[in-house]
């Protein structure tokens, strides 16, 4: 049954923390394989979650004379479509037999394989055996690859008719014209990908020294140690990860794309910060006030509440391995695209010029600090923290440090951080279907 | 396998055996509490038994519009103040409207529960529907309709398919409302809706989290107890007359790939104990699309490669009437006719050859595992209780329902596959993709500095 909500979940920064509550205890070690492991024991529900993240996202696809964007995603999706002595149907059957769920995917930085299973011995053992096989013995069957390429190409061609997808791709290309983050898979680049490309990418990127293993659930540290070693001992001998190139800042530009949609899709932004940037907390708190705080943000008030211009309007920073984007997004009736964009630009300019009021700052700090327990009240939420802390080398004390850092943010720091990172002379605007 | 999983489930349920707890206030408001002490948080939900199916022609979408207006001020709170108060408590809040119900929720540190109840009780009784606020917000809802439906080809197909499948039953109207109804809606329409349905005896409260039931009941009494009970309007069944022949429709929209959706009229669950077929239909949906190894993905996507994606869906527990839907997007070089035939052949194969014991067991295993996994999320637990109650399944019967589903036999699955998938009750909707106008989206201009 369909349901319609008052607001689509806005994109928000992932990591928040609290004052009142110390974070759960994170244990960390390096497995004999070289993989780094992050573990939380949590006995309240009889389940185990395991996630293995590799520095094997789209940005790690080497520049080549022939563009093969899409190889990272296809490598990841074919891992569980045939491994060891099992074909894709047997893998699917065995997972279904034990009620386990194997998931994951690839973004620009990470390729992830995740498992959720019941913690009872037989189910857990069968699930881990499958995960191990998928990680260590993927077969990349040629027939499966051809089928998945066809499905991926169909998906790309469909997406290229949708205004939201068109805007997102144009935005990525305009922000990162010379950087891997701007390389978007196309029907042509996917068509070029061969089985050899997948095998080579797997061997070069799915190594233990590039892996972070996150484990949470109903098991002991000793069991977690054995699991982490078992899942990573037989991985390819891939080199340690190398850093991604620095993203240059684009020149201010506006890209307009014609489209018959009833609504214009508008995105504005520029590359900003890496994970671990010391300005993260001022940007986090400031962005809550600007466009991250849902219904109470300035953008929401000015664009939606006061003028009825849009259902959804948001802003966020997405820190990544290399400079991730700051982005403002909205959709509005095509005839009023210019008027809505003007409001957004004015709100941003005002915020850059004056920063938050003291009242706004207090409210933002209170929500982010007091609301922290909501962000860690399930294993599902906690394992995402574990993998981000592990993958991006954030301090183990991150959850505990966070509230103090949020509470310590001043209005002057927010102003300074926004002026430093959100520079109008480098902002790119993409408008699809605007008049 | 089966026995081991049952043990797991029993152990999983162990901590929660005494849960949930219920109290009915004098004004008819039911309060359902599930204590879950794993983290110092709580979810507070208020559900109203009023969804888009309770609307009438001319004001379609008013249930959802009122949901938006519930954030626009009461006699003592200014517009937007509700969200501010929730944020100040460290919380998040939202709301959603469906065919069957409208629900509001806040996720907060558990110690702030009382404040949330005060806020919800206030807007249950004291909403102010200011025409100026309404005039702004109705534009937001129209933008929402453009985003979710007008520019979303598959959503457009679904909307038109429901409108074709149902001629008399209110499920024919979209939740978001027809655009023309939204354009002509007034604050008075929203006010009528609010006065008609927003009464404590048409609502229930669900709380899950780090709370003590007696304290929750005390808070509920304090905040909600004062709101007077009101007479509710009569609800007419508006049953759909029997469909007596196949219906076909085609929807043109800018897209690359076509899409086909087949919807059959099938029974809905009304008596948990006496009826069997709805459980068998749930299992049939699971056999077709309940997990990665299920038939549609295996046979149509991976083996025959006739589809790039395919799915099946059926919900036995709805207030209105039920459709069993199978749908998919054809693979390159395959047409919708070919995919329609393949989808129908999958159901025919169950009807003719039945399903295997192990195959059925796999679907049941997903059901059991999902119940355990659900315990990782307070929101998921609150949603389960809330949704069940909305369609008339008492929370005490949730386990009964699961046991019934687990008792379905292969013969029962085969029997419903034989009985309910003829042409006469079928509505087929097809997306006829239209190329983008010449030049788009490739054509773009870059204006440089501005």
């Amino acid at each position: 049954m369909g349901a319609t909500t008052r607001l689509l979940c806005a994109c928000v920064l992932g990591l928040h923390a609290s004052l009142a509550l110390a974070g759960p205890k994170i244990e960390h070690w390096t497995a004999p394989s070289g993989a780094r492991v992050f573990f939380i024991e949590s006995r309240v529900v009889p389940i185990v979650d395991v996630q293995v993240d590799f520095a094997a996202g789209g940005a790690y696809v080497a520049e080549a004379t022939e563009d093969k964007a899409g190889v990272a995603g296809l490598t990841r999706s074919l891992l569980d479509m045939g491994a060891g002595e099992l074909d894709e149907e047997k893998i699917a059957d065995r997972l279904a037999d034990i009620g386990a769920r194997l998931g994951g995917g690839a973004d620009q930085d990470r390729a992830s394989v995740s498992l959720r299973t019941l913690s009872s011995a037989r189910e857990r053992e069968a699930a881990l055996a499958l995960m191990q096989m998928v990680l260590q013995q993927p077969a990349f069957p040629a027939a499966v690859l051809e089928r998945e390429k066809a499905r991926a190409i169909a998906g790309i061609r469909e997406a290229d008719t949708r205004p939201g997808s068109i805007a997102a791709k144009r935005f990525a290309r305009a922000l990162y014209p010379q950087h891997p983050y701007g390389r978007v898979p196309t029907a042509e680049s996917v068509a070029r990908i061969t089985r050899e490309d997948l095998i080579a990418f797997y061997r070069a990127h799915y190594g233990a020294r590039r892996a972070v293993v996150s484990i949470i659930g109903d098991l002991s540290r000793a069991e977690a140690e054995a699991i982490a070693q078992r899942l990573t001992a037989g991985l390819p001998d891939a080199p340690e990860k190398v850093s991604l190139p620095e993203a240059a800042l684009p020149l201010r530009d506006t890209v307009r794309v014609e489209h018959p949609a009833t609504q214009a899709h508008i995105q504005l932004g520029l590359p900003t910060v890496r994970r671990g940037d010391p300005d993260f907390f001022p940007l986090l708190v400031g962005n809550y006030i600007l466009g991250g705080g849902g219904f109470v943000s300035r953008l929401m008030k000015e664009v939606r509440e006061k003028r009825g211009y849009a259902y959804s309007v948001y802003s966020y920073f997405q820190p990544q391995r290399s400079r991730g984007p700051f982005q403002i997004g909205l959709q509005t009736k095509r005839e009023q695209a210019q008027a809505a964009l003007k409001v957004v630009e004015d709100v941003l300019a005002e915020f850059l010029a004056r920063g938050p009021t003291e009242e706004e700052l207090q409210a933002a700090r209170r929500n982010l600090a007091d609301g922290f327990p909501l962000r860690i009240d399930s294993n599902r939420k906690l394992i995402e923290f574990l993998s981000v802390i592990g993958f991006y080398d954030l301090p183990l004390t991150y959850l505990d440090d966070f509230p103090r850092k949020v509470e310590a943010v001043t209005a002057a720091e927010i102003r300074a951080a926004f002026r430093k990172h959100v520079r109008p002379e480098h902002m790119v605007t993409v408008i699809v279907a605007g008049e | 396998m089966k026995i081991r999983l049952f043990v797991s489930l029993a152990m999983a349920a162990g901590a929660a055996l005494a849960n949930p707890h219920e109290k009915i206030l004098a004004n008819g408001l039911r309060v359902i509490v599930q204590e879950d002490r794993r983290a110092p948080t709580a979810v507070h939900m208020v559900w109203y038994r009023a969804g888009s199916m309770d609307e009438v022609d001319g004001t379609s979408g008013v249930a959802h519009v009122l949901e938006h207006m519930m954030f626009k001020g009461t006699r003592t709170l200014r517009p937007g103040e509700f969200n501010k108060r929730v944020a100040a408590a460290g919380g998040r809040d939202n709301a959603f409207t469906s065919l069957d119900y409208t629900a509001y929720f806040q996720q907060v540190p558990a110690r702030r529960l009382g404040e949330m109840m005060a806020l919800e009780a206030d807007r249950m009784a004291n909403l102010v529907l200011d025409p100026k606020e309404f005039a702004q917000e109705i534009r937001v809802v129209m933008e929402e309709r453009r985003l979710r439906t007008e520019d979303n080809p598959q959503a457009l197909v679904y909307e038109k398919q429901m409108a074709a499948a149902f001629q008399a039953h209110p499920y024919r109207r979209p939740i978001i409302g027809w655009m023309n109804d939204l354009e002509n809606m007034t604050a008075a329409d929203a006010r009528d809706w609010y006065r008609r349905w927003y009464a404590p005896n048409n609502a229930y409260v669900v709380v899950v989290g780090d709370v003590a039931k007696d304290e929750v009941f005390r808070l509920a009494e304090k905040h909600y107890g004062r709101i007077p009970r009101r007479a509710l309007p009569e609800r007419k069944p508006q049953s759909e007359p029997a469909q007596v022949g196949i219906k076909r429709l085609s929807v043109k929209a800018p897209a690359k790939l076509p899409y086909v959706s087949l919807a059959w009229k099938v029974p809905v669950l009304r008596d948990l104990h006496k009826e069997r077929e709805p459980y068998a239909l749930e299992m049939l949906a699971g056999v077709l699309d309940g997990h990665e190894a299920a038939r549609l993905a295996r046979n149509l996507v991976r083996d025959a490669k006739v589809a790039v994606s395919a799915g099946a869906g059926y919900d036995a527990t709805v207030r209105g009437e039920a459709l069993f839907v199978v749908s998919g997007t054809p693979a390159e070089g395959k047409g919708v006719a070919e995919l329609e035939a393949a989808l129908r052949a999958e159901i025919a194969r169950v009807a003719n050859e039945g399903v295997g014991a192990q195959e059925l067991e796999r679907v049941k295993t997903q059901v059991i595992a999902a119940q355990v996994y659900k315990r990782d999320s307070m929101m998921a637990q609150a949603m389960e209780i809330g949704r069940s109650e909305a369609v008339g399944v008492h929370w005490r019967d949730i386990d009964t329902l699961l046991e019934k589903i687990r008792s379905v036999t292969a013969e029962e699955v085969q029997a419903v596959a034989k009985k309910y998938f003829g042409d006469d009750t079928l509505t087929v909707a097809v997306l006829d993709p239209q190329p983008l106008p010449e030049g788009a989206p490739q054509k773009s201009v870059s204006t440089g500095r501005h």
Side-chain angles (χ1 to χ4, degrees), chain B residues 278-416:
Chain B
Y279 303 118
L281 286 162
E282 291 269 12
M283 291 304 294
L284 175 61
V287 164
L288 294 173
D289 188 30
H291 50 90
E292 266 303 296
R295 288 191 182 197
L296 294 186
R298 167 176 307 219
N299 297 344
L300 302 192
V301 178
R302 297 199 293 264
D303 183 23
K305 301 180 189 63
V306 64
V308 289
S309 66
Y314 165 70
D315 191 347
T317 50
V318 293
R319 275 179 56 203
E321 305 197 0
L323 293 174
F324 193 107
V325 180
V326 298
S327 61
T329 297
E332 178 84 40
K334 312 281 180 182
V336 287
E338 202 171 341
L339 178 52
E340 178 186 331
L343 289 164
R344 295 172 79 154
E346 285 301 323
I347 294 172
R349 208 156 62 85
V350 176
N352 296 331
E353 300 163 29
V355 297
Q358 193 186 7
E359 190 180 13
L360 202 57
E361 203 51 46
R362 259 177 211 144
V363 181
K364 295 178 185 180
T365 299
Q366 308 313 306
V367 175
I368 296 161
Q371 282 306 108
V372 180
Y373 298 153
K374 198 172 280 172
R375 290 194 45 228
D376 189 39
S377 162
M378 296 188 201
M379 188 68 191
Q381 296 175 67
M383 283 296 294
E384 177 175 52
I385 294 169
R387 282 216 53 218
S388 299
E389 291 283 341
V391 299
V393 176
H394 195 282
W395 58 261
R396 280 193 194 89
D397 289 326
I398 291 172
D399 286 346
T400 309
L401 209 132
L402 293 168
E403 277 160 33
K404 292 281 185 184
I405 286 175
R406 294 207 299 257
S407 73
V408 170
T409 66
E411 291 70 30
E412 288 175 308
V413 176
Q414 185 171 8
V416 292

Side-chain angles (χ1 to χ4, degrees), chain A residues 388-434:
Chain A
V388 167
I389 289 169
F391 190 81
Y392 291 105
D393 303 306
L394 302 180
L396 273 185
T397 53
Y398 195 85
L399 303 184
D400 295 330
D401 297 345
F402 197 103
R404 279 185 293 106
K405 296 199 170 179
V406 164
E407 290 290 340
V409 168
T410 66
E413 285 172 338
I414 291 173
R415 261 195 314 274
F418 266 76
R419 281 183 192 166
K420 178 176 168 192
H421 296 287
V422 182
R423 293 164 58 184
E425 68 271 27
H426 296 295
M427 292 269 294
V428 168
T429 302
V430 174
I431 307 166
V432 177

Side-chain angles (χ1 to χ4, degrees), chain A residues 121-321:
Chain A
R122 291 285 293 271
E123 279 76 17
R124 193 183 87 186
E125 169 53 32
L128 288 167
L130 281 165
M131 189 180 197
Q132 181 182 356
M133 203 177 284
V134 160
L135 285 169
Q136 296 169 9
Q137 303 173 57
F140 302 115
V144 172
L145 175 60
E146 285 316 301
R147 184 194 71 215
E148 291 306 307
K149 278 169 63 177
R151 290 182 67 210
I153 289 168
I156 289 167
R157 289 191 174 138
E158 178 60 31
D160 286 346
T161 69
R162 306 283 174 98
S165 305
I166 294 167
K169 288 185 188 186
R170 284 308 180 107
F171 187 69
R173 285 185 184 143
L175 253 64
Y176 298 101
Q178 307 294 332
H179 189 272
Y181 285 174
R183 288 208 304 264
V184 179
T186 62
E188 294 71 34
S189 74
V190 170
R192 282 186 205 109
I193 293 168
T194 65
R195 181 167 182 267
E196 287 63 42
D197 293 327
L198 264 56
I199 292 170
F201 190 79
Y202 170 73
R203 289 197 179 137
H205 298 90
Y206 282 73
R209 281 169 298 167
R210 301 171 69 94
V212 169
V213 183
S214 305
I215 304 175
I216 183 168
D218 179 22
L219 74 174
S220 68
R221 157 120 187 198
E223 290 172 308
E225 283 183 16
I227 288 169
Q229 174 62 9
R230 165 189 184 176
L231 292 178
T232 53
L235 289 170
D237 187 24
E240 274 192 71
K241 62 175 184 265
V242 288
S243 56
L244 293 172
E246 185 68 55
L249 293 177
L251 284 179
R252 185 177 180 90
D253 193 11
T254 299
V255 179
R256 293 173 186 278
V257 184
E258 289 180 20
H259 191 282
T262 66
Q263 270 188 326
H265 287 243
I266 302 174
Q267 299 193 355
L268 303 74
L270 75 169
T272 51
V273 285
R274 284 177 289 272
R275 281 278 179 197
D277 190 294
D279 289 332
F280 175 78
F281 289 98
L283 293 175
L284 172 75
V285 177
N287 186 64
Y288 175 92
I289 297 160
L290 174 66
F295 293 112
V296 296
S297 76
R298 282 193 188 183
L299 283 171
M300 193 65 107
K301 274 183 209 151
E302 296 299 322
V303 175
R304 173 169 157 159
E305 311 277 324
K306 279 197 193 161
R307 295 176 178 83
Y309 276 164
Y311 171 66
S312 160
V313 56
Y314 58 84
S315 67
Y316 65 87
F317 291 87
Q318 177 63 56
Q320 292 175 207
R321 177 75 74 204

Side-chain angles (χ1 to χ4, degrees), chain B residues 224-250:
Chain B
Y224 294 106
R226 290 177 264 197
I227 305 170
R229 168 196 291 273
R230 280 211 314 271
L232 295 171
E234 187 188 357
R235 297 179 198 259
K236 311 248 188 195
Q238 305 184 70
S239 300
E240 182 69 16
Q243 185 176 335
V244 289
I246 192 166
K247 302 179 191 181
R248 286 190 178 273
L249 66 141
S250 151

Side-chain angles (χ1 to χ4, degrees), chain B residues 198-209:
Chain B
Y198 279 60
N201 44 313
N202 194 41
Y204 50 96
V205 170
V206 180
V207 175
V208 177

